[in-house]
C-alpha cells in the first residue's frame, strides 16, 4: 500500500457527474440543496437506489470527494467530514454513548477533547475515567457499562506514542470500541485502523489542511460505524462548507510530501535543541531519548515521526515568556501543522481549560513550549532558535 499513497492522493477526490469532457478539477458544489424531477427520484435517492444528493447538511459531492480520499489513504471502508476536529470527535463519541455509560480515556489529550469528555459528558450522566495510558493498568478500570476507549496516537503536548494495538485488543476483549485521534501523525505516518482501532478522528485543521486557512474534521471507520456516526451528525449539524472541503482536497494532494519534510526538519531541530543548556528536555518521538521511541519506531512508517515536538525550558515560566518574545519569524499561536514553524504555550493555549493540578499531574509545566516545525530551511530555523535561546 505504501507506494500507492501518492497515487491515491493524486487521482481520487473527483466525485462528479459523468460527462464526455469533465473538468480536470472538481468544481465547488456551493449548493445547500439539490432538486428532483419527481417524487420517485427523491425516494430512490433517500433509499440509496439512485446516486444523488438531497441537502448539504447530510452530504455534498465535495464532502464525498474529500471523504473518499481520506478513506482511501487511511484504508478504512468509509469516511465523513465535519466542520471541525471537535465536531468529528464529539459526533464519534455521541453516536456511541447513552446516559449511564462509561468511557476510559488517556489523561493527556488535546484540551478541547479533555473538556468535552470531562464536563460535557458529565451533564449527560456519562462517566469518564482518565488514566495514564503509559503507566496505569487500564484493564482494571473496565466496567460492564464501558462503551469506548479514547486516545491520541501522539499525545498532545508531550508527544508520547501509545501502543494502539495493545489498547485495541484490550477494548475489544471488553466488547468496547477504540477511538484514536491521529491528528499529529496523519495516515502518512500511522494508520490506526490497521493496528486495530475502530474509529480514527482528525482535526483536518492541522496537517490535512497544512496551510492555516480551514477549520475541519474527518472521521474514518467501517461502513456500519460511519452510518451510525453520520446519523448523529446529521441531527447535530456540524456541516463543513463545500468551499472548505474543496480547499482540503487541494491540500491533501501534497500531504505525503509535506509530512516527509515536516518530519525531516523536526528531527534536525530536535537534535539541535536537545544539546542546548537552556532546554531541560525535548519531547520528540524520533529521538532515542524519547520514552516512547521504540513503539514509535515499530508502528510508524518509514522512520517518520512528524513535525510536532515540545521543549521544557530549564528557566520555567519566565524563560517561556522570554523565548516567545525573542523569536522573530516563528509565530506564537494556538494551533499547529502549518507550512511555517510556530510555537504554542500549552498551559496558556490548548490546555488552558485544564485545572492546574491536572495539568501538572500530566507533566504540562509552565516551562513547556510546543513547537510545530514547518517547511522552511532547517539551517534558518536552528539559527533563529540559537539566537533566541541566548536571550533567556
Ligand atoms: N485533536 C487534536 C490533537 C488537536 O490538536 C485539536 C486542535 O488543536 C483538535 C483535535 C480539535 O480540532 P479543531 O480545532 O479542528 O476542532
Amino acid at each position: 500500500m505504501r507506494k500507492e499513497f501518492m497515487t491515491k492522493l493524486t487521482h481520487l477526490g473527483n466525485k462528479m457527474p459523468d460527462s464526455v469532457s469533465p473538468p480536470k478539477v472538481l468544481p465547488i458544489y456551493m449548493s445547500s440543496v439539490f432538486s428532483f424531477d419527481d417524487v420517485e427520484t427523491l425516494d430512490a435517492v433517500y433509499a440509496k437506489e439512485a446516486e444523488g444528493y438531497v441537502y448539504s447538511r447530510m452530504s455534498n459531492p465535495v464532502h464525498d470527494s474529500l471523504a473518499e480520499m481520506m478513506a482511501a489513504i487511511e484504508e478504512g471502508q468509509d469516511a465523513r467530514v465535519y466542520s471541525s476536529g471537535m465536531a468529528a470527535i464529539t459526533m464519534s463519541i455521541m453516536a456511541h454513548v447513552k446516559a449511564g455509560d462509561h468511557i476510559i480515556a488517556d489523561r493527556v489529550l488535546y484540551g478541547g477533547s479533555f473538556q468535552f469528555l470531562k464536563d460535557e459528558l458529565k451533564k449527560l450522566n456519562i462517566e469518564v475515567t482518565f488514566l495514564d495510558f503509559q503507566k496505569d493498568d487500564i484493564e482494571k478500570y473496565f466496567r460492564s457499562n464501558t462503551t469506548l476507549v479514547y486516545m491520541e496516537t501522539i499525545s498532545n503536548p508531550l508527544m508520547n506514542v501509545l501502543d494502539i494495538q495493545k489498547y485495541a485488543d484490550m477494548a475489544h476483549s471488553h466488547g468496547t470500541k477504540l477511538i484514536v485521534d491521529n491528528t499529529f501523525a496523519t495516515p502518512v505516518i500511522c494508520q490506526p485502523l490497521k493496528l486495530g482501532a475502530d474509529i480514527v478522528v482528525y482535526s483536518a485543521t492541522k496537517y490535512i489542511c497544512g496551510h492555516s486557512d480551514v477549520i475541519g474534521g474527518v472521521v474514518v471507520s467501517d461502513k456500519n460505524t460511519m452510518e451510525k456516526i453520520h446519523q448523529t451528525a446529521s441531527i447535530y449539524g456540524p456541516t463543513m462548507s463545500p468551499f472548505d472541503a474543496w480547499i482540503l482536497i487541494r491540500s491533501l494532494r501534497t500531504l505525503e510530501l509535506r509530512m516527509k519534510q515536516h518530519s525531516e526538519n523536526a528531527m534536525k531541530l530536535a537534535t539541535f535543541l536537545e544539546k542546548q543548556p537552556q532546554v531541560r528536555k525535548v519531547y520528540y518521538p524520533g529521538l532515542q531519548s524519547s520514552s516512547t521511541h521504540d513503539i514509535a519506531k515499530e508502528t510508524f512508517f518509514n522512520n517518520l515521526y512528524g513535525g510536532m515536538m515540545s521543549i521544557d525550558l530549564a528557566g520555567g515560566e519566565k524563560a517561556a515568556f522570554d523565548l516567545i518574545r525573542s523569536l522573530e519569524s516563528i509565530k506564537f499561536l494556538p494551533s499547529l501543522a502549518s507550512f511555517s514553524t510556530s510555537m504554542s504555550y500549552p498551559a496558556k493555549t490548548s490546555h488552558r481549560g485544564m485545572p492546574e493540578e491536572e495539568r501538572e499531574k500530566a507533566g504540562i509545566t509552565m516551562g513547556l513550549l510546543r513547537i510545530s516545525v514547518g517547511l522552511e530551511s532547517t539551517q534558518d530555523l536552528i539559527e533563529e532558535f540559537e539566537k533566541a535561546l541566548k536571550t533567556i
Side-chain angles (χ1 to χ4, degrees):
M1 129 72 199
R2 304 305 304 162
K3 72 176 174 340
E4 293 170 23
F5 204 95
M6 263 316 285
T7 313
K8 288 175 182 171
L9 290 181
T10 312
H11 294 312
L12 295 175
N14 282 310
K15 276 184 168 282
M16 53 185 126
D18 280 345
S19 160
V20 288
S21 57
K24 160 111 173 63
V25 172
L26 177 77
I28 310 176
Y29 288 74
M30 214 61 197
S31 184
S32 59
V33 70
F34 298 80
S35 58
F36 303 87
D37 284 343
D38 46 45
V39 181
E40 288 86 344
T41 313
L42 173 103
D43 278 345
V45 170
Y46 263 110
K48 296 196 168 66
E49 285 156 7
E51 261 203 57
Y53 292 87
V54 178
Y55 189 55
S56 288
R57 191 177 75 236
M58 283 77 168
S59 57
N60 173 294
V62 198
H63 296 154
D64 283 1
S65 296
L66 173 59
E68 177 192 49
M69 289 174 87
M70 283 303 301
I73 59 174
E74 194 67 55
E75 296 189 60
Q77 288 175 355
D78 203 0
R80 292 286 184 165
V81 302
Y82 298 112
S83 57
S84 68
M86 282 312 297
I89 292 164
T90 54
M91 293 303 101
S92 301
I93 294 173
M94 291 305 284
H96 287 92
V97 288
K98 58 179 184 333
D101 281 349
H102 172 245
I103 296 175
I104 292 176
D106 192 9
R107 182 174 288 142
V108 186
L109 294 175
Y110 167 64
S113 311
F114 182 81
Q115 258 178 289
F116 173 74
L117 287 161
K118 186 167 180 284
D119 302 328
E120 293 302 311
L121 291 184
K122 194 188 279 175
K123 295 179 196 163
L124 305 174
N125 192 26
I126 294 158
E127 208 185 324
V128 183
T129 304
F130 290 98
L131 298 169
D132 181 336
F133 274 31
Q134 274 191 290
K135 295 195 192 117
D136 294 334
D137 179 6
I138 315 289
E139 193 80 54
K140 267 197 340 221
Y141 296 87
F142 278 89
R143 305 180 194 160
S144 56
N145 59 342
T146 307
T147 43
L148 290 174
V149 178
Y150 187 91
M151 59 180 273
E152 295 174 358
T153 310
I154 305 178
S155 69
N156 179 19
L158 296 181
M159 312 304 156
N160 287 318
V161 178
L162 295 174
D163 185 347
I164 295 172
Q165 189 142 24
K166 176 172 137 191
Y167 300 107
D169 289 348
M170 219 183 270
H172 297 157
S173 73
H174 291 273
T176 66
K177 281 187 176 167
L178 175 67
I179 303 183
V180 178
D181 181 336
N182 200 37
T183 297
F184 280 24
T186 81
V188 175
I189 291 178
C190 181
Q191 289 172 306
L193 293 180
K194 285 204 148 171
L195 297 168
D198 301 282
I199 300 165
V200 180
V201 290
Y202 285 99
S203 166
T205 316
K206 309 299 169 350
Y207 288 114
I208 308 292
C209 172
H211 296 74
S212 307
D213 44 17
V214 168
I215 299 276
V218 181
V219 186
V220 191
S221 187
D222 61 76
K223 279 219 174 299
N224 287 341
T225 307
M226 282 317 309
E227 187 73 39
K228 197 166 158 175
I229 293 170
H230 201 57
Q231 266 171 18
T232 302
S234 297
I235 301 301
Y236 280 84
T239 308
M240 179 184 279
S241 154
F243 180 65
D244 287 351
W246 188 88
I247 294 182
L248 290 175
I249 290 172
R250 199 179 199 268
S251 296
L252 204 49
R253 303 224 185 267
T254 55
L255 181 73
E256 188 173 33
L257 300 174
R258 288 186 283 111
M259 289 315 292
K260 283 182 175 162
Q261 196 62 47
H262 282 298
S263 301
E264 198 180 296
N265 287 5
M267 192 67 204
K268 286 188 187 152
L269 183 64
T271 307
F272 163 78
L273 289 171
E274 204 172 32
K275 295 189 196 117
Q276 306 312 304
Q278 302 90 336
V279 179
R280 186 171 18 220
K281 176 142 184 71
V282 179
Y283 296 93
Y284 183 63
L287 293 176
Q288 297 280 351
S289 59
S290 157
S291 61
T292 56
H293 176 68
D294 289 348
I295 188 70
K297 203 171 161 65
E298 203 181 304
T299 52
F300 287 2
F301 301 123
N302 305 321
N303 259 327
L304 300 177
Y305 299 96
M308 297 302 302
M309 74 179 74
S310 288
I311 53 174
D312 196 5
L313 295 172
E317 183 170 352
K318 180 172 183 316
F321 276 57
D322 288 347
L323 186 66
I324 287 167
R325 208 174 287 115
S326 304
L327 288 166
E328 287 162 15
S329 79
I330 299 166
K331 298 273 179 288
F332 171 50
L333 47 84
S335 191
L336 60 118
S338 195
F339 52 86
S340 56
T341 299
S342 64
M343 185 175 270
S344 91
Y345 191 12
K348 296 276 185 189
T349 56
S350 57
H351 293 70
R352 198 183 180 96
M354 199 170 178
E356 194 180 338
E357 193 194 321
E358 308 223 31
R359 246 197 302 110
E360 289 290 328
K361 211 151 92 185
I364 303 163
T365 67
M366 292 308 289
L368 191 83
L369 290 171
R370 192 187 70 189
I371 305 166
S372 169
V373 183
L375 304 172
E376 52 281 82
S377 140
T378 35
Q379 191 50 40
D380 290 340
L381 269 181
I382 288 173
E383 277 172 22
E384 186 165 345
F385 269 103
E386 203 164 22
K387 199 168 144 208
L389 282 169
K390 284 191 183 130
T391 68
I392 68 171

